[in-house]
Amino acid sequence: MKVSKFVTKIFVRIFFILVFVAMIPFLQGDQTKYQHIYFIFQHKWEMIFPIILILGFIGLLITCAVKKYEEPDLNWLLVLNIVILLAYGIAVFIRVAHMV
């Protein structure tokens, strides 16, 4: 049980550090190269999957924090959700990098 608690806390911290590092280019002040980047979705239902992933992350994070990371199953679900979110974030980052 201690391993899942430790791994979950590490992954949560790494995730938030990476999110803050990814926000640095947007906060530096040179917004001109990001003004003409648009994501166009052919179908509106395509937005459901990222929304479910993000809401699942928020729900699992709150649940694990309230239970003080004592439930190993929830901890591993949160780690899996973070890994999928990181993969999705990297894919979006690569797409935006190609546009700039």
Side-chain angles (χ1 to χ4, degrees):
M1 180 169 7
K2 289 191 177 226
V3 172
S4 71
K5 185 177 183 178
F6 179 73
V7 169
T8 304
K9 286 184 178 183
I10 293 295
F11 269 82
V12 168
R13 290 176 183 155
I14 288 172
F15 178 75
F16 282 119
I17 288 170
L18 288 175
V19 166
F20 290 131
V21 168
M23 287 181 4
I24 289 173
F26 297 106
L27 300 175
Q28 283 183 341
D30 184 23
Q31 299 292 327
T32 57
K33 60 183 175 181
Y34 298 112
Q35 286 179 351
H36 301 291
I37 295 178
Y38 302 104
F39 289 107
I40 299 172
F41 295 95
Q42 303 298 329
H43 307 284
K44 297 297 179 194
W45 60 267
E46 291 176 347
M47 290 298 298
I48 291 174
F49 303 116
I51 290 171
I52 289 173
L53 193 61
I54 292 169
L55 289 177
F57 168 72
I58 292 169
L60 282 170
L61 184 64
I62 291 171
T63 305
C64 287
V66 166
K67 294 187 179 190
K68 300 188 190 274
Y69 299 100
E70 295 296 327
E71 296 284 332
D73 293 338
L74 290 176
N75 291 344
W76 291 118
L77 279 174
L78 181 59
V79 168
L80 180 65
N81 192 308
I82 290 173
V83 168
I84 294 169
L85 266 176
L86 286 175
Y88 186 77
I90 290 169
V92 170
F93 178 78
I94 290 171
R95 184 74 171 159
V96 169
H98 285 290
M99 289 182 196
V100 175

